[in-house]
Amino acid sequence: NLDRIGHAMHKHEAEYGDIPDAPGPFEGRENSNSNWGWRVRILPFLEERACAEQFRYEEPWNSRHNLEVAQYMPPCYQCPGIDPHFKTVKGLEIPIANYVVITSEENEGDPGQVLIVEAYGRNSLAWTDPSVIQGEGLAQWINLMDQAGAYAFHPGGFKVLVCDDSKTTLFEDVDIEGLREMVARMDE
């Protein structure tokens, strides 16, 4: 799933000139508001154009109509082999995303490097929520065991996808110090 997401990020960049690391308009829509998250903005590049077409981009991500659409979450945002969880938003059960983007505050909008990490079971977001995680707040979002190590619910350990320039690199079985180093390099 992370590989697919990384490729979709770069397809978005090739077509629109940026990796969608921060909330922004849904490209190609004249009346789109500017508060759409990366998961929605890359839908056309994940072969989820039919899902993307159902949203009303002139409305907020959490309008009643858009939340009804969000009750379906593309399978690539669900960690394989794990039962989905849901978050109640305005009375509707919305699937939570298992991956979050971490950016550096200094680099937001011109990221240089974007980290996409597993976040299953931690302060999870509805999959259409446009919130972005800043590097210094990562501990409350990722899967940590007592701040000592990162864990995963599947073989291969905790995974981090790094998107920079025109390539993506998937790191498997990342420990917490390795992740902290990756985040620290984002600020350089």
Side-chain angles (χ1 to χ4, degrees), residues 1-9 46 161 168-172:
N1 287 350
L2 281 172
D3 278 333
R4 262 187 87 200
I5 291 169
H7 290 300
M9 289 282 214
L46 291 169
L161 183 72
T168 58
T169 308
L170 180 64
F171 294 92
E172 295 191 29

Side-chain angles (χ1 to χ4, degrees), residues 58-78:
E58 69 280 1
E59 296 179 8
W61 73 271
N62 59 355
S63 72
R64 182 73 183 184
H65 171 84
N66 288 333
L67 288 174
E68 288 172 358
V69 173
Q71 289 179 300
Y72 163 79
M73 180 175 73
C76 68
Y77 295 139
Q78 174 67 40

Side-chain angles (χ1 to χ4, degrees), residues 2-54:
L2 281 172
D3 278 333
R4 262 187 87 200
I5 291 169
H7 290 300
M9 289 282 214
H10 285 298
K11 287 178 183 177
H12 182 283
E13 180 184 32
E15 185 148 336
Y16 298 113
D18 71 328
I19 292 176
D21 66 312
F26 190 89
E27 289 78 359
R29 299 287 180 147
E30 282 186 35
N31 297 323
S32 175
N33 71 46
S34 60
N35 201 28
W36 288 95
W38 65 272
R39 291 177 207 87
V40 174
R41 293 172 65 199
I42 65 171
L43 285 174
F45 304 102
L46 291 169
E47 299 174 14
E48 291 284 351
R49 191 168 299 279
C51 177
E53 292 296 323
Q54 295 178 51

Side-chain angles (χ1 to χ4, degrees), residues 81-158:
I82 297 174
D83 292 332
H85 284 102
F86 298 85
K87 182 174 192 138
T88 302
V89 182
K90 295 185 178 179
L92 295 172
E93 295 294 307
I94 309 300
I96 61 169
N98 295 158
Y99 307 103
V100 296
V101 162
I102 297 176
T103 66
S104 165
E105 192 169 336
E106 291 83 23
N107 294 338
E108 192 173 315
D110 181 21
Q113 197 176 73
V114 173
L115 304 182
I116 302 173
V117 301
E118 296 175 306
Y120 188 79
R122 299 288 300 193
N123 296 319
S124 301
L125 300 170
W127 80 270
T128 53
D129 188 322
S131 298
V132 174
I133 312 311
Q134 299 297 326
E136 67 275 2
L138 76 99
Q140 67 181 340
W141 289 97
I142 64 170
N143 300 335
L144 294 179
M145 292 184 290
D146 301 323
Q147 303 293 321
Y151 66 91
F153 293 92
H154 50 73
F158 181 75

